[in-house]
Amino acid sequence: MSIDHSSTVNNSRSLRGFHIALNSNIKTTPKGFIVPSQSSSKKYVVAPDLSRCTCIDYEQRQKPCKHIYAVQHYLEGTGDLEVPDKLKRPTYPQRWAEYNASQVGEKANFLKLLHGLCEGITEPPQRIGRPRLSFADMVFACAFKIYSGLSGRRFGSDLEEARGKGYITKTPHFNSLYNYFDKPSITPLLHELITVTALPLKSIETDFAVDSTGISNNRFVRWFNVKHGKELDYSDWLKLHLMCGVQTNIVTSVELSSRHEHDSNYFKPLVDATAQNFELKEVSADLAYSSHDNLYAVTQYGAMPYIPFKKNTTGKGAPLWQSMYHYFNLYRSEFLEHYHKRSNVESTFSMIKGKFGDEVKGKSDTAQLNEVLFKVLCHNICVVNQAMFELGIQATFCADHTVAQKG
């Protein structure tokens, strides 16, 4: 069978066949050509004269499939063909000089930024009892501990160095660190500090993504596995819901819940919190957030929601739901170009877990919640540090905001 390559360059099967020819090992045998499957370990046989293939697509259509096109491109020599734009792997240039400088000096800059952030914390009044440790010092110490990844006992020498540099006024005992992780009054403070650390990128981020991820804790849950007929132990986890900018991965708002909570319930609070400080142009999220209320939560701020619709959606409902449903179906490729920005939130989760761990070690619910918030806070400071080198921004946390601490 002779295939005119020029007439099929825009054919989707021809493009997929071209991709197979470029990236797979096609073998020649007396019975024909052995072509690997793109989605499984199967292999298909294409006749020597390219007249047939053993795949289901050819059997149903009786027309050239992607495997036949792959052999055609293979015989013509893929090295002499120009790779179509649809198959070219996107590349993202890295400014290595700026990146290296930000990473080499990250720890020193992290401590300076964290110290400036904590200077904006107002100490609550104390009427009775012995003088307590400074809230600013303890927030600095707890965040620095999360950044270091060390245990409370081994972290003592780092705190001594921080005190020597004037970042804290007194070196706390490691038990004091644990006690402050367990303070409910620190939780709203951490939410506010996360917001403050995102503000230096206010002029840069206009497109955002929402998603959730699990953070393991030290508890276990039992469930009966029907398949195996026995009880299995699995680690319990918290759910971290966040909204981040898709350009720098800065976290603009965050919520925490148990593993049983549905993701969609936290979409609007995240959008509302971000809209207080950022201009929203686009917000993307996956199928779990598909609802009219979530679409309206974005459009009320003049932004465009890119949330795909489920297969069983009919398009019936309020005008906003109908218009977005028709846009999703009629302009799918354009929709997906914006929607795929959502993958950046997965990068944000990977950055947080890879750098600060994917589990928490606190015993109580409060300690676990605060530990996750400290991880997000440390992530934001690291993002701001990198943006100072690569984007030339200036971070002045306490110059613009003073964080009041309630007793």
Side-chain angles (χ1 to χ4, degrees), residues 8-28:
T8 60
V9 68
N10 293 321
N11 185 304
S12 61
R13 288 181 174 83
S14 176
L15 291 174
R16 291 196 293 269
F18 193 96
H19 191 275
I20 294 175
L22 283 174
N23 298 281
S24 302
N25 183 20
I26 299 176
K27 296 182 180 180
T28 305

Side-chain angles (χ1 to χ4, degrees), residues 73-286:
H73 294 309
Y74 169 73
L75 294 176
E76 291 178 356
T78 56
D80 298 330
L81 298 176
E82 182 180 355
V83 180
D85 292 338
K86 292 183 179 180
L87 296 180
K88 290 181 179 179
R89 183 184 297 274
T91 58
Y92 306 95
Q94 177 67 271
R95 299 171 60 184
W96 286 107
E98 292 81 359
Y99 175 78
N100 290 337
S102 68
Q103 297 303 295
V104 170
E106 183 187 83
K107 183 177 180 180
N109 291 330
F110 176 89
L111 296 177
K112 292 178 182 178
L113 291 171
L114 179 61
H115 174 62
L117 181 67
C118 293
E119 279 189 325
I121 299 176
T122 303
E123 296 292 332
Q126 180 179 2
R127 296 180 180 178
I128 59 175
R130 66 178 184 180
R132 61 189 174 195
L133 294 168
S134 165
F135 259 102
D137 284 358
M138 295 310 299
V139 170
F140 179 95
C142 291
F144 189 17
K145 178 189 178 301
I146 294 296
Y147 177 82
S148 70
L150 298 173
S151 66
R153 292 172 176 83
R154 290 184 291 127
F155 180 59
S157 58
D158 287 332
L159 282 180
E160 283 291 342
E161 292 181 6
R163 186 182 64 82
K165 295 178 180 179
Y167 292 137
I168 55 177
T169 58
K170 184 178 180 181
T171 304
H173 192 270
F174 58 81
N175 282 332
S176 297
L177 285 177
Y178 302 144
N179 292 336
Y180 268 77
F181 273 110
D182 205 22
K183 279 185 175 291
S185 59
I186 285 188
T187 304
L189 172 64
L190 290 175
H191 278 278
E192 191 168 354
L193 291 177
I194 290 171
T195 300
V196 173
T197 54
L199 293 179
L201 298 174
K202 181 177 180 178
S203 62
I204 296 172
E205 294 288 6
T206 56
D207 300 342
F208 301 88
V210 176
D211 206 351
S212 69
T213 188
I215 304 291
S216 300
N217 57 23
N218 55 5
R219 298 174 183 172
F220 291 88
V221 292
R222 287 185 178 274
W223 64 289
F224 186 81
N225 190 306
V226 178
K227 179 178 179 180
H228 299 287
K230 60 182 180 180
E231 288 187 348
L232 301 176
D233 284 339
Y234 280 87
S235 176
D236 197 3
W237 66 88
L238 304 172
K239 260 190 178 182
L240 169 62
H241 311 262
L242 62 78
M243 189 171 186
C244 70
V246 300
Q247 184 172 343
T248 62
N249 301 104
I250 194 74
V251 177
T252 56
S253 54
V254 60
E255 297 285 342
L256 285 157
S257 72
S258 68
R259 62 190 179 94
H260 300 288
E261 296 289 335
H262 196 282
D263 294 351
S264 184
N265 299 331
Y266 292 88
F267 184 85
K268 188 178 186 302
L270 292 172
V271 172
D272 291 342
T274 299
Q276 292 180 10
N277 301 292
F278 288 79
E279 177 187 1
L280 305 185
K281 290 185 178 180
E282 295 182 14
V283 178
S284 53
D286 61 23

Side-chain angles (χ1 to χ4, degrees), residues 303-359:
M304 185 69 172
Y306 290 95
I307 305 175
F309 291 83
K310 299 177 182 178
K311 292 182 179 180
N312 60 352
T313 303
T314 62
K316 297 179 181 179
L320 173 60
W321 180 264
Q322 292 182 26
S323 61
M324 289 304 303
Y325 175 76
H326 292 304
Y327 173 65
F328 172 72
N329 285 282
L330 295 175
Y331 304 97
R332 183 68 61 86
S333 59
E334 179 181 331
F335 181 95
L336 292 178
E337 287 181 4
H338 295 273
Y339 169 72
H340 285 316
K341 295 179 182 179
R342 191 205 68 84
S343 60
N344 288 278
V345 73
E346 304 293 350
S347 299
T348 301
F349 291 138
S350 179
M351 293 166 69
I352 294 174
K353 292 182 177 182
K355 198 161 190 173
F356 308 112
D358 59 354
E359 63 179 4

